[in-house]
Each structure stands twice: as C-alpha cells, then as structure tokens.
Amino acid sequence: MDVVWLDVQMWTPLRGSMHPFTDIECDVPDPVPDVPLVWERWALDHLAAVASHDGWQPGRYHYTAERRDRGGHAVEVFARGYWEWGP
C-alpha cells in the first residue's frame, strides 16, 4: 500500500444532506495501525491539519479512510465517521 485516501463529505444544512467535498491523499502511517480506533485518531489528526491549513469553514464533515484501486474505487476501508470542525 502506497497511500491512504481520506474521502471527505460536507454537511449542507440547506439541503439537509452530505455532498462530496474533497479527497486527501496521505502517506501511509508507520507503523500501519491494526485497529480501527488508531485509524480514526490518525484520520482526525490529518483532517484537522488540512482543515486548519486550507481554512475550511466550521461545520460537520463525514470522512472515510480507505485504500483505493488504480481506478479510484475503495477496496478497503480503515475508518469512517463524522467530525465537527471549528477553528
């Protein structure tokens, strides 16, 4: 595995649903976590760093940490969940 992707969706209150927001390509953590809780912490740390750097608006996001095939389709999911961002 060369990279891990964070697929991020953003909550839109006017629509009342999530919509695609961004995909973040990340280096594989070393060592590779073997339990979902560690993957969740890793994903949340990366999300906070990117959101802070890029100036994301405060709100609710959904993320999935995943491995993808060459076509960009998820083949393995390591963690997923909701995340509240506010600087």
Side-chain angles (χ1 to χ4, degrees), residues 9 11 18 44 47 60-63 80-84:
Q9 297 181 10
W11 175 256
M18 296 291 206
L44 295 175
L47 287 170
R60 187 172 204 192
Y61 295 83
H62 181 270
Y63 69 90
R80 69 177 62 185
Y82 290 94
W83 175 65
E84 295 287 335

Side-chain angles (χ1 to χ4, degrees), residues 14-29:
L14 294 175
R15 289 184 174 164
S17 63
M18 296 291 206
H19 75 273
F21 181 63
T22 191
D23 290 316
I24 304 166
E25 183 178 0
C26 305
D27 292 331
V28 177

Side-chain angles (χ1 to χ4, degrees), residues 23-63:
D23 290 316
I24 304 166
E25 183 178 0
C26 305
D27 292 331
V28 177
D30 184 26
V32 175
D34 57 356
V35 294
L37 185 60
V38 178
W39 274 110
E40 289 172 19
R41 175 63 12 220
W42 174 88
L44 295 175
D45 288 346
H46 276 70
L47 287 170
V50 173
S52 179
H53 180 268
D54 292 353
W56 291 6
Q57 72 181 44
R60 187 172 204 192
Y61 295 83
H62 181 270
Y63 69 90

